[in-house]
């Protein structure tokens, strides 16, 4: 049966007022598998009115009740994991095991923020005279507009949604048109848990039309965007013009420094898993490998051995490691970047092209000795491509790691405590993970610096960007 993804506005699943839809395509088969309602201004106006009603209800709901409902939503998500995962694989392409992992991780994120919502503390500031109470209290910022991409259909939403509603905000989510089904299932889990109608609203449409309408709208207080740096800068500019709070989770080009004393086999094995996860369509994907010259050949041999095990196919086939790219438009971009690197002298060690079959499949690719002038050394590939280069002095590796305007994630491998400490201190990135892939747990910071954005979507700071401080100073007389 063809899928029909509707909008969710004011507690009701509905078609767009105009009746317009977009096609939903399975990237592994290129078949149209359903349609998605396409919101326009009339639908957005309804969502805004609903969110205003929702804010009134939800911000007046005790934090403990919000916590109970969110915990229930997390458990519903867990119960439905098998059904949701297959839907995600069919729309996004990732292997079923990764889709299940993402859904279960989503439940953990909901749990984390539900609990954080119970710890929204204010302050009492000592007063200068008796009888005066100076209370600094935290209030929800208001209605949030969230814009999320297609690479992690649930994860990208659940961090924004959970933080927002744990804080007492209502929200309008502009979910990804390419992968709308699993986000709708996420919202369904919250609704079935009993979150009041109108607190959460879900729309799809033309991204720029929706952001251009919602961001300046007086009812919106805060925006949160995950996507490319170029779009992020546009939206942050619009938010700035209209004095809206903003969280920006943008692109990256993660360096991986492998020191001479690293366990080469372990580092190569772990980094291959991490590189080809979700076909490299991950903002923290390891990309620029900087390997000490004395272990360069050994690392390359180990990396290739592991990368050759990355079988590619339909994510519903349990034996495969990597699915298709989520969108056809990425293929010419990857081909251009590879051709440019080869023309400038890089060596192609593995893959390098689209796989000749139905679906948006691309070979796991390894390039070595990639000149710094190659576009791919500066432009985020957002695909299954690893760039291997050597270094002699650790200071040179650090300089290369810090060369780009991006500053999202960085990886390093070394057995030396001194080098680990140096790298942790000197690499300019929002997240540095050393000797393991330790990123993206709900309880730790997730966010970038420089052109990779600002704000945090994990850990104890994340809820703060959905809260504002109010001073109430009162005198008894
Ligand atoms: P894109 O820049 O066209 O879109 C990226 C995301 O932003 C999409 O979800 C899109 O719907 C949304 N978007 C685009 N214009 C928008 C607007 N005016 N208002 C609101 N939302 C808007 O790129 P793409 O082809 O979808 O993806 C490729 C690039 O996007 C990658 O190179 C990568 O840098 C970036 N990206 C990053 C993440 C991430 O997790 N940080 C996720 C997906 C894509």
């Amino acid at each position: 049966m063809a899928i029909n993804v509707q909008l969710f506005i004011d507690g009701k699943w509905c078609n767009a007022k105009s009746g317009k839809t977009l096609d939903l395509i399975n990237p592994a088969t290129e078949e149209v598998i359903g349609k998605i309602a396409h919101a326009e201004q009339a639908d957005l106006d309804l969502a805004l009115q609903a969110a205003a009603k929702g804010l009134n209800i939800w911000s007046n709901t005790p934090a403990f009740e919000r916590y109970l409902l969110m915990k229930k939503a997390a458990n519903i998500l867990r119960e439905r994991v098998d059904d949701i995962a297959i839907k995600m694989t069919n729309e996004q392409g990732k292997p079923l095991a990764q889709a299940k992992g993402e859904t279960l991780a989503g439940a953990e994120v909901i749990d984390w923020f539900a609990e954080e919502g119970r710890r929204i503390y204010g302050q009492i500031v000592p007063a200068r005279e008796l009888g005066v109470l100076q209370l600094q209290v935290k209030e929800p910022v208001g209605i949030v507009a969230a814009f999320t991409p297609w690479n992690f259909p649930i994860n990208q939403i659940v961090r924004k949604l959970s933080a927002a509603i744990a804080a007492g905000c209502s929200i309008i989510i502009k979910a990804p048109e390419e992968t709308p089904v699993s986000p709708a299932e996420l919202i369904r889990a919250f609704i079935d848990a009993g979150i009041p109608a109108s607190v959460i609203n879900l729309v799809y449409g033309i991204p720029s039309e929706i952001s251009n309408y919602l961001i300046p709208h007086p009812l919106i207080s805060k925006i949160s965007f995950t996507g490319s740096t170029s779009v992020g800068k546009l939206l942050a500019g619009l938010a700035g013009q209209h004095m809206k709070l903003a969280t920006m989770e943008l692109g990256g080009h993660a360096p991986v420094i492998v020191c001479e004393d690293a366990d080469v086999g372990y580092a190569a094995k772990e980094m291959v898993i991490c590189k080809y996860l979700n076909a490299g369509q991950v903002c923290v994907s390891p990309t620029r490998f900087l390997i000490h010259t004395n272990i360069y050949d050994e690392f390359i041999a180990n990396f290739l051995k592991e990368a050759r095990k990355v079988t590619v196919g339909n994510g519903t086939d349990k034996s495969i490691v990597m699915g298709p790219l989520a969108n056809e438009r990425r293929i010419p971009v990857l081909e251009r970047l590879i051709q440019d690197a080869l023309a400038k002298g890089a060596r192609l060690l593995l893959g390098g092209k689209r796989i000749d079959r139905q679906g948006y499949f691309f070979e796991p690719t390894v390039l070595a000795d990639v000149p710094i002038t190659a576009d791919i050394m500066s432009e985020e590939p957002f695909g299954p491509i690893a760039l291997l280069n050597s270094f002699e002095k650790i200071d040179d590796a650090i300089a290369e790691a810090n060369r780009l305007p991006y500053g999202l994630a960085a990886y390093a491998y070394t057995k030396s405590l001194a080098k680990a400490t140096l790298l942790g201190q000197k690499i300019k990135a929002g997240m540095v993970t050393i000797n393991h892939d330790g990123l993206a747990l709900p309880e730790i910071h997730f966010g970038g610096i420089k052109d990779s954005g600002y704000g945090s979507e994990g850990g104890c700071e994340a809820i703060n960007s959905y809260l504002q401080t109010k001073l109430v100073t009162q005198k008894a007389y």
Side-chain angles (χ1 to χ4, degrees):
M1 197 177 61
I3 300 164
N4 178 22
V5 191
Q6 293 182 299
L7 313 175
F8 187 73
I9 297 175
D10 203 9
K12 290 181 280 297
W13 296 98
C14 54
N15 294 326
K17 286 269 169 223
S18 67
K20 279 192 193 166
T21 58
L22 303 161
D23 282 345
L24 174 62
I25 293 169
N26 179 334
T29 62
E30 300 183 43
E31 287 164 356
V32 175
I33 55 172
K35 56 185 183 168
I36 314 137
H38 176 298
E40 291 181 341
Q41 197 171 314
D43 308 287
L44 299 178
D45 283 334
L46 292 178
L48 284 158
Q49 285 160 24
K53 201 164 67 179
L55 178 65
N56 190 35
I57 298 167
W58 194 239
S59 59
N60 289 306
T61 301
F64 188 67
E65 209 171 305
R66 298 201 295 250
Y67 154 82
L68 291 175
L69 293 174
M70 288 181 71
K71 293 289 267 193
K72 202 165 160 196
N75 287 333
I76 292 174
L77 201 63
R78 289 188 180 97
E79 284 161 17
R80 297 178 184 171
V81 61
D82 290 328
D83 175 59
I84 296 173
I86 185 81
K87 288 175 169 150
M88 190 191 293
T89 292
N90 284 335
E91 63 184 351
Q92 203 273 347
K94 66 182 62 183
L96 210 46
Q98 289 178 28
K100 276 188 194 179
E102 181 177 339
T103 308
L104 294 174
E108 283 193 28
V109 169
I110 301 170
D111 277 343
W112 164 262
F113 281 108
E115 286 151 13
E116 284 293 280
R118 298 175 67 188
R119 294 188 281 267
I120 300 173
Y121 303 128
Q123 277 183 325
I124 301 175
V125 180
R128 294 187 178 199
E129 58 178 304
L130 287 177
V132 169
L133 267 184
Q134 300 178 139
L135 309 173
Q136 294 184 173
V137 295
K138 298 279 183 189
E139 295 183 338
V141 292
I143 305 175
V144 175
F147 304 90
T148 67
W150 42 264
N151 56 342
F152 291 95
I154 284 192
N155 176 67
Q156 303 284 22
I157 294 177
V158 79
R159 285 175 179 269
K160 303 180 195 309
L161 168 61
S162 304
I165 67 170
C169 299
S170 64
I171 188 164
I172 301 173
I173 301 157
K174 203 293 289 166
E177 292 70 31
E178 299 92 336
T179 60
V181 186
S182 45
E185 292 306 319
L186 172 69
I187 303 313
R188 204 184 305 280
F190 279 91
I191 301 313
D192 291 351
I195 304 279
S198 69
V199 174
I200 303 173
N201 300 275
L202 173 69
V203 297
Y204 313 92
I206 296 178
S208 57
E209 272 182 26
I210 297 184
S211 56
N212 281 333
Y213 188 63
L214 289 185
I215 296 173
H217 198 285
L219 282 174
I220 297 292
S221 299
K222 176 189 165 72
I223 67 159
S224 181
F225 171 75
T226 300
S228 55
T229 293
S230 54
V231 174
K233 285 183 175 177
L234 277 176
L235 302 194
L238 194 56
Q241 268 174 39
H242 295 273
M243 204 53 79
K244 304 297 169 78
L245 300 165
T247 298
M248 290 284 149
E249 291 294 345
L250 309 177
H253 202 297
V256 184
I257 297 180
V258 188
C259 298
E260 189 179 6
D261 59 6
D263 180 333
V264 172
Y266 165 71
K269 193 169 180 179
E270 200 173 63
M271 283 295 95
V272 163
I273 295 169
C274 202
K275 175 71 250 181
Y276 300 108
L277 182 87
N278 202 10
Q281 304 164 115
V282 184
C283 53
V284 296
S285 187
T287 295
R288 276 175 300 147
F289 287 76
L290 305 160
I291 303 143
H292 192 273
T293 187
N294 291 350
I295 53 158
Y296 189 45
D297 292 342
E298 186 190 352
F299 185 87
I300 288 179
N302 277 271
F303 196 89
L304 286 175
K305 186 178 84 185
E306 296 300 327
R308 287 196 179 99
K309 295 181 196 162
V310 177
T311 46
V312 182
N314 192 319
T316 53
D317 174 351
K318 290 204 173 97
S319 68
I320 65 102
V321 177
M322 193 176 98
L325 300 176
N327 304 299
E328 192 168 24
R329 63 176 177 270
R330 293 299 306 158
I331 290 176
V333 178
L334 298 185
E335 286 171 344
R336 169 181 61 79
L337 290 171
I338 292 168
Q339 288 318 314
D340 171 75
L342 294 178
K344 288 174 179 158
R347 288 190 291 139
L348 179 65
L349 301 185
L350 191 69
K353 59 182 190 311
R354 182 177 190 165
I355 298 175
D356 186 17
R357 57 175 280 189
Q358 198 82 6
Y360 312 140
F361 295 98
F362 205 89
E363 293 173 331
T365 297
V366 181
L367 293 170
D369 305 338
V370 191
I372 210 166
T373 51
D375 293 349
I376 200 167
M377 287 296 285
S378 304
E379 197 179 313
E380 182 181 25
F382 220 66
I385 308 177
L387 311 173
L388 311 186
N389 280 324
S390 63
F391 73 87
E392 284 183 11
K393 294 199 191 101
I394 196 155
D395 287 348
D396 295 340
I398 294 169
E400 168 55 21
N402 293 340
R403 176 178 56 90
L404 295 182
Y406 290 120
L408 191 58
Y411 302 77
Y413 286 86
T414 174
K415 286 188 191 139
S416 149
L417 183 58
K419 278 188 192 143
T421 308
L422 178 78
L423 292 167
Q425 289 176 344
K426 295 288 178 195
I427 296 176
K428 292 189 171 59
M431 299 169 277
V432 182
T433 174
I434 301 176
N435 292 331
H436 75 148
D437 171 18
L439 305 179
L441 299 169
E443 62 271 26
I444 54 179
H445 167 65
F446 191 91
I449 57 170
K450 305 200 290 180
D451 272 7
S452 295
Y454 40 71
S456 183
E457 295 214 299
C460 59
E461 287 177 26
I463 199 168
N464 288 339
S465 62
Y466 295 86
L467 295 166
Q468 60 203 7
T469 304
K470 180 197 267 179
L471 167 72
V472 179
T473 174
Q474 62 187 51
K475 185 169 179 175
Y477 70 98

